[in-house]
Amino acid sequence: MANRCFETVFVILCNLGMSVFLVFFSPSIASADDEAINALKSQVVSAMKRFEKGEIEQAAKELPPYANEVLREYFPANLLRTFDEYQAKAKTNFGEALGDVSLVREEASGNSYCRLTFADRYTNGAMALQWVFYRTETDWKTTNFTYTPLDQILQADDPYVANVEPEARVVPELIATAFSHDRNSEGIMIAIKHGTPNVAIGFPEKVREQLNIKLKSESATGNTPLNQLDLLKTEAAGPSLVRLSYAIRRKQYPFYVQVIMYKGNDSWKPAAFNISSDTPPTFVAKQPTTEPVAR
């Protein structure tokens, strides 16, 4: 997938000279005490409302205290400096802020760690703000903060996958269908314009040339289209970003098409698009429906 122009990660532990270790998070926080989790969420959501208004220092003070007592006093200043860099880069890449910072994912690692992910939405894209907290005997402590483009945390098991809005599927379906009938880049744009007149999408000249050459060369070598497509996977990162991955079935081997859709103001628009012939499928385990082979 075409990468965003940047992907910055700020880890408080690293910047303050502490060691970092891997923590595994599950999509659900049911294993942790509900009352403690809800109290933490309320506290962090309140801090993020401050962040949404640009009140970074006040937001830092509302968050759970930094875990290391010796370095705790540097936490607000360090956070303020990081957010200044963050906001400048986000605006450069995604346009104007929409003033909408919302909690989109909750995860836990046992009863000790909780990670809360917020989406900070802009006109043409969104950022993911991820906070990690450690639960002591008495309260929560802040241990880690990272930020990255929201499309970097797309997951098939995101809770919002089950409720993807139908409008988000229209353009990906049109693109995949056009590819399944071996249309070139111009044909794909015509299909999209006909199906969704209000959606603007285009390809750089170099990309168009490469795509058209690819389609012609595959057909010339016998890998002709079957006019069939197969939706392999749907991923989400909250309610405003979704990626649909299709297999475009051909005689010898398929193409894979991925389309990321983003809902900025009021409507869904394509944010990124990719076609390749080397993306492996995602396999889902199922209970065998036949008897095992007797030995």
Side-chain angles (χ1 to χ4, degrees):
M1 184 66 61
N3 290 329
R4 297 286 185 260
C5 296
F6 75 97
E7 180 179 352
T8 303
V9 177
F10 166 69
V11 181
I12 294 171
L13 290 173
C14 289
N15 280 7
L16 297 181
M18 298 181 68
S19 60
V20 181
F21 55 92
L22 188 62
V23 179
F24 295 95
F25 290 91
S26 64
S28 171
I29 58 173
S31 60
D33 180 74
D34 289 341
E35 185 175 345
I37 286 289
N38 289 334
L40 172 66
K41 285 166 54 180
S42 297
Q43 183 177 1
V44 180
V45 167
S46 176
M48 288 297 96
K49 291 298 181 184
R50 293 272 193 185
F51 163 75
E52 189 176 311
K53 298 175 183 177
E55 302 171 353
I56 308 304
E57 289 185 278
Q58 294 89 331
K61 294 176 182 178
E62 286 196 19
L63 288 164
Y66 182 63
N68 187 291
E69 294 182 4
V70 176
L71 302 174
R72 187 174 296 166
E73 64 176 296
Y74 302 106
F75 176 60
N78 211 355
L79 192 61
L80 179 62
R81 183 168 57 253
T82 299
F83 271 125
D84 286 342
E85 299 170 357
Y86 156 78
Q87 289 177 318
K89 292 177 180 178
K91 185 175 181 179
T92 298
N93 286 274
F94 298 131
E96 295 299 320
L98 299 180
D100 177 19
V101 181
S102 56
L103 180 64
V104 296
R105 187 176 296 167
E106 308 167 14
E107 299 165 288
S109 183
N111 291 319
S112 297
Y113 286 92
C114 174
R115 180 166 63 191
L116 301 178
T117 300
F118 292 79
D120 183 15
R121 299 199 305 131
Y122 291 74
T123 305
N124 301 313
M127 295 294 295
L129 309 172
Q130 294 189 306
W131 296 91
V132 177
F133 306 96
Y134 173 67
R135 187 179 183 183
T136 68
E137 290 183 339
T138 57
D139 58 6
W140 293 93
K141 294 291 190 294
T142 301
T143 66
N144 184 308
F145 165 69
T146 65
Y147 66 83
T148 187
L150 192 63
D151 63 14
Q152 299 298 310
I153 65 163
L154 285 159
Q155 291 182 0
D157 60 356
D158 188 286
Y160 291 95
V161 167
N163 299 302
V164 172
E165 296 179 12
E167 292 82 0
R169 301 180 180 273
V170 175
V171 170
E173 190 86 12
L174 286 169
I175 292 176
T177 300
F179 270 119
S180 71
H181 289 81
D182 219 22
R183 296 183 186 176
N184 60 17
S185 58
E186 289 75 16
I188 292 170
M189 287 189 285
I190 291 172
I192 294 171
K193 185 175 182 179
H194 177 75
T196 55
N198 298 324
V199 174
I201 185 172
F203 301 90
E205 182 65 30
K206 186 176 181 180
V207 174
R208 288 205 305 267
E209 292 177 358
Q210 292 175 342
L211 174 60
N212 294 339
I213 291 173
K214 176 71 173 175
L215 292 173
K216 290 180 180 179
S217 63
E218 290 294 334
S219 294
T221 56
N223 191 27
T224 52
L226 298 176
N227 300 338
Q228 300 171 356
L229 59 88
D230 185 15
L231 177 60
L232 299 180
K233 183 167 58 174
T234 302
E235 301 164 283
S240 61
L241 194 76
V242 61
R243 176 167 58 198
L244 293 100
S245 301
Y246 297 85
I248 308 304
R249 292 169 52 77
R250 301 177 75 89
K251 187 175 181 180
Q252 297 174 358
Y253 53 85
F255 287 162
Y256 300 99
V257 171
Q258 293 181 313
V259 183
I260 293 180
M261 299 294 292
Y262 173 65
K263 189 174 185 179
N265 291 313
D266 299 317
S267 60
W268 287 92
K269 295 181 180 179
F273 149 78
N274 182 56
I275 178 172
S276 69
S277 56
D278 57 1
T279 302
T282 299
F283 293 95
V284 178
K286 293 185 177 182
Q287 181 71 30
T289 55
T290 59
E291 294 296 325
V293 177
R295 294 186 176 181

